[in-house]
Amino acid sequence: MQIQDLPYPDPGVPDARSGPRFLWWLFRNQLRGQLTSLAWGLLHFASVSSLPFCVGLAVQAVVDRDGGRLALAGALMALACAGNALGDTFLHRVAVTNWITAAARVQQLLARKAAVLGSALTRRVAAGEVVSVSTGDVEKIGWFVEALSRFTAAALTIVLVCAGLVVYEPALGVVVALGLPVLALAVLPLLPRATRRADVQREKAGRATELAADTVAGLRVLRGIGGEELFLDRYRRASQEVRHAAVRSARMWSLISALQALLPGLLLIAVVWYGVQLARDGRVGVGELVTVYSSVMILTYPLRHFEEIAMAYSFSRPSATRAARVLSLERATDTAGSRAADAPSGDLYDPATGLSAPTGRLTAVVCGDPDAAGRLAERLGGHPAEEGESVLLGGVPLDELPLDCARTAVLVQDKDPVLLSGTLRELLDVPSSGAVAAEEALAAAQCEDVLAALVQGSLGAGDPMDARITERGRSLSGGQRQRLALARSLITDPEVLVLDEPTSAVDSHTEARIAEGLRRLRQGRTTVVFTSSPLLLDRAERVVFLHDGEVAAVGTHRDLVRGEPRYRAVVTRETEDETAVREPSAGLLAEDGARHRNGGARVGHRDDGVRRRDGVAHQGDAVRHRDGVAHRDDGVRHRDGVPRRLEEIEETA
């Protein structure tokens, strides 16, 4: 695999049982590149290590005044230099290729796993850890996979040189052959401690990164409550902990580097001292002594790769362990599917709760537990938490469909959707049916003020579609982000659209217009909205109330408000005391002349200038309050979350 051939058509199925197994799997899948790197590495290191023999041969030829051997030594030296240049160039080329392709394979595996798991990934693994694995850990893993072949070439070269020295000059060669393994293995006792300190440093750095990300994400809230300094102090402390851990780790690695420099120097001193003694006795020649001395000097270069491979492994092992932990996560259902890829059509049905969303209709779902609503929304999108909880679309289980087919049929918008940075045009450039234009979707989601804000915040952007959106849309308010996300979902125009609290951060007037636009644009399409907003519920064709994980009531919003106390308590935020007051007095006249209407039209209105509604007293001024929302006395009253003209209320009264 070459860099220009990336990405991989298929990155393969990784061995994610452990970090070392994952590293070994990556090495085996790059076997051709690793063997090529090994071959060029052997050429490079062998050429470098042969230079001392050429120099020793030339020195001895000068001592013996032998011109032929001097010429031969020069030719061999030129050949060694050419081999060194060629081997070094292509070794670097292949090593970089192996590094990049290994990192790219890991990134593709992580991206594929994220696509398969969807929103379940961040519930099972911290978001900061996913980011760390996808960025820094990928480079460390690629570093070790690439360095392994270079280390192998260096180790083989050292063995060959030691064997050659023993044959060339046994007396000195034995000293070198015995001393080099000691040099290579001397740092092994220090590696576990260095690895532990490096792990501590990465762990603290990960915590600091998560803290920084959380602080930036909640900066607006922090400013609102005056908590910037508190979180800044926390980040300072976390940063100092990272610095101290990094210093401790650097001290250990500097000690290892010092030993790698000190021990070869001691060996060199020993070889020179012993060689001089042998030369005085006439047991070795000057050229032989120069050869052995130069070889020991040159061998310090391949010896450095022992330190590098130790560092690479100590850094990549925890990174590979984290990557393997993410890659070992599995969905509760199969992703390949056992049915044809044609997306079915029909009613959406959840056997676990009994929820049914008829095809072509707008169904609103009210659930008192927001977490349960979120889990149900994900299950409707084909992401069951456990096996056996598959949702049926047209009678076909979603987990029996290929994943891409299921996602084409059903789209789920989370309650906290993410906006990617880029222009608005790029944000809305999503796979779609083509039936809904961007202008229609933006109008239905009431994004006029959002477009104006984007144009105002982007210099030189006359067209709102060319305005830039900052990371995660942080320059926009929560309601603006929700509306842009809703517009993006409407553009896709899926067969089934599931929206989880799509207007929770929008004011009531805008929410009413969004509800009308959503109903109009999704006419004839299956839409499921998880909400407790009366404005959305009143415009739904069908409302399903869930209680204790099961369907408790089905009907229209007005019917459920009048006839289902538990539903009314969730929608109106009515307390138990207010419910107890409301139900006994329904349809009766109070002793003080206040009228009570069944279903909560009027509750305890005393003739004392004070209006009481839903158990709350309000002064009889120009403002009426209903469900905690103030409404101007402009001839419109709000009843059960539905705006009505004053004349209608007086007639029904």
Side-chain angles (χ1 to χ4, degrees):
M1 172 65 70
Q2 298 297 318
I3 296 178
Q4 62 265 23
D5 298 328
L6 294 174
Y8 287 93
D10 180 13
V13 180
D15 186 350
R17 289 176 290 178
S18 66
R21 287 179 181 271
F22 180 58
L23 291 174
W24 177 243
W25 178 84
L26 285 173
F27 180 84
R28 287 190 291 108
N29 277 268
Q30 282 192 330
L31 193 56
R32 181 177 179 180
Q34 297 294 339
L35 292 177
T36 304
S37 177
L38 176 62
W40 289 116
L42 285 174
L43 175 61
H44 169 58
F45 290 121
S47 299
V48 172
S49 301
S50 64
L51 288 174
F53 292 93
C54 299
V55 172
L57 181 61
V59 170
Q60 193 62 44
V62 171
V63 172
D64 297 338
R65 299 182 180 274
D66 189 339
R69 280 194 297 165
L70 182 61
L72 177 62
L76 292 176
M77 189 175 298
L79 183 62
C81 291
N84 179 25
L86 187 66
D88 190 21
T89 300
F90 283 93
L91 173 61
H92 179 73
R93 179 185 179 90
V94 177
V96 172
T97 300
N98 289 341
W99 189 340
I100 293 177
T101 52
R105 186 188 295 272
V106 178
Q107 286 180 326
Q108 281 188 248
L109 291 171
L110 292 171
R112 184 176 67 181
K113 181 59 65 174
V116 169
L117 293 176
S119 59
L121 175 61
T122 52
R123 290 200 311 270
R124 302 169 69 177
V125 181
E129 183 172 351
V130 176
V131 174
S132 176
V133 172
S134 303
T135 53
D137 287 341
V138 167
E139 294 186 2
K140 294 181 180 67
I141 292 171
W143 177 27
F144 173 75
V145 174
E146 172 272 322
L148 194 56
S149 57
R150 288 191 292 111
F151 163 73
T152 304
L156 289 176
T157 301
I158 291 175
V159 172
L160 292 175
V161 170
C162 289
L165 288 177
V166 171
V167 174
Y168 179 74
E169 179 51 56
L172 291 175
V174 171
V175 176
V176 176
L178 294 177
L180 285 178
V182 175
L183 299 183
L185 302 177
V187 298
L188 287 181
L190 300 177
L191 289 180
R193 181 176 297 181
T195 302
R196 287 194 299 269
R197 291 189 179 184
D199 291 344
V200 171
Q201 176 194 350
R202 283 189 293 271
E203 181 181 355
K204 292 183 178 297
R207 291 177 182 174
T209 301
E210 291 182 10
L211 180 59
D214 292 341
T215 303
V216 172
L219 188 58
R220 180 175 297 178
V221 177
L222 292 176
R223 286 176 175 171
I225 63 176
E228 304 102 315
E229 288 300 325
L230 174 62
F231 274 78
L232 184 58
D233 289 339
R234 290 183 181 178
Y235 182 74
R236 285 197 186 104
R237 290 195 297 270
S239 180
Q240 289 300 315
E241 290 179 1
V242 174
R243 184 179 68 84
H244 290 308
V247 170
R248 286 173 52 83
S249 178
R251 285 174 180 170
M252 186 56 63
W253 287 111
S254 63
L255 177 60
I256 293 175
S257 299
L259 290 177
Q260 290 287 319
L262 174 63
L263 296 180
L266 295 177
L267 177 61
L268 184 62
I269 293 173
V271 168
V272 171
W273 179 82
Y274 184 54
V276 169
Q277 300 300 321
L278 294 178
R280 285 180 177 179
D281 297 338
R283 297 170 57 184
V284 297
V286 176
E288 295 171 343
L289 179 59
V290 171
T291 298
V292 176
Y293 168 80
S294 302
S295 297
V296 175
M297 287 286 295
I298 291 295
L299 286 179
T300 57
Y301 170 56
L303 274 175
R304 295 174 188 168
H305 289 74
F306 284 78
E307 177 187 357
E308 181 187 7
I309 198 63
M311 293 182 64
Y313 181 73
S314 66
F315 280 97
S316 66
R317 183 184 55 80
S319 298
T321 301
R322 285 193 291 267
R325 183 164 56 247
V326 174
L327 295 175
S328 63
L329 299 177
E330 296 293 342
R331 284 189 45 167
T333 57
D334 184 21
T335 59
S338 56
R339 299 206 177 211
D342 296 334
S345 60
D347 297 349
L348 187 67
Y349 177 69
D350 177 39
T353 60
L355 171 65
S356 177
T359 180
R361 301 181 66 183
L362 174 58
T363 301
V365 180
V366 177
C367 183
D369 184 0
D371 294 333
R375 291 191 295 270
L376 176 56
E378 292 179 357
R379 196 159 63 243
L380 293 178
H383 292 277
E386 298 179 3
E387 197 168 349
E389 293 184 349
S390 180
V391 172
L392 305 179
L393 178 60
V396 178
L398 284 179
D399 60 356
E400 293 185 6
L401 296 173
L403 187 59
D404 55 350
C405 178
R407 289 182 173 171
T408 302
V410 183
L411 175 67
V412 178
Q413 177 179 305
D414 295 335
K415 65 178 63 178
D416 187 21
V418 176
L419 301 182
L420 302 179
S421 60
T423 64
L424 181 59
R425 193 185 311 277
E426 293 170 342
L427 176 70
L428 301 180
D429 185 16
V430 293
S432 64
S433 65
V436 179
E439 293 76 12
E440 295 178 295
L442 291 169
Q446 300 299 311
C447 293
E448 293 84 359
D449 64 317
V450 185
L451 300 180
L454 287 174
V455 171
Q456 185 177 5
S458 296
L459 299 177
D463 187 354
M465 300 299 290
D466 294 328
R468 294 199 64 81
I469 299 174
T470 58
E471 181 187 4
R472 300 179 68 90
R474 290 195 175 100
S475 61
L476 303 174
S477 67
Q480 291 173 331
R481 288 195 297 268
Q482 273 193 338
R483 283 178 280 165
L484 283 181
L486 177 60
R488 179 179 59 186
S489 299
L490 293 175
I491 287 177
T492 60
D493 190 36
E495 183 69 25
V496 179
L497 177 60
V498 180
L499 303 173
D500 189 3
E501 295 288 355
T503 59
S504 60
V506 178
D507 64 87
S508 58
H509 299 289
T510 305
E511 188 177 31
R513 296 194 296 268
I514 290 176
E516 189 61 37
L518 177 64
R519 180 171 179 173
R520 182 182 65 255
L521 194 61
R522 291 289 298 175
Q523 187 71 33
R525 291 291 211 181
T526 306
T527 308
V528 180
V529 181
F530 287 84
T531 184
S532 59
S533 168
L535 293 172
L536 285 176
L537 294 171
D538 185 62
R539 285 163 175 78
E541 301 171 78
R542 187 169 177 269
V543 178
V544 179
F545 174 57
L546 298 178
H547 184 70
D548 291 337
E550 295 182 352
V551 174
V554 180
T556 64
H557 168 62
R558 302 182 187 187
D559 292 339
L560 292 177
V561 165
R562 295 186 178 96
E564 178 54 65
R566 294 173 298 181
Y567 175 84
R568 183 170 58 246
V570 174
V571 173
T572 65
R573 276 66 168 178
E574 191 175 63
T575 65
E576 295 181 358
D577 293 339
E578 292 171 343
T579 304
V581 171
R582 179 193 297 272
E583 293 180 351
S585 60
L588 300 178
L589 292 176
E591 293 180 359
D592 58 0
R595 277 192 305 176
H596 298 260
R597 293 281 303 175
N598 191 15
R602 297 185 180 222
V603 179
H605 290 233
R606 297 186 183 274
D607 294 330
D608 55 2
V610 179
R611 303 297 176 87
R612 287 170 170 79
R613 198 155 183 122
D614 298 330
V616 181
H618 305 280
Q619 291 296 327
D621 53 11
V623 180
R624 302 295 188 269
H625 288 73
R626 179 74 176 179
D627 304 334
V629 180
H631 305 278
R632 282 290 172 192
D633 193 2
D634 54 0
V636 179
R637 301 293 190 271
H638 287 72
R639 187 168 180 180
D640 302 333
V642 183
R644 297 186 178 183
R645 301 300 303 173
L646 177 61
E647 294 78 9
E648 297 178 1
I649 296 180
E650 296 300 331
E651 289 175 2
T652 58

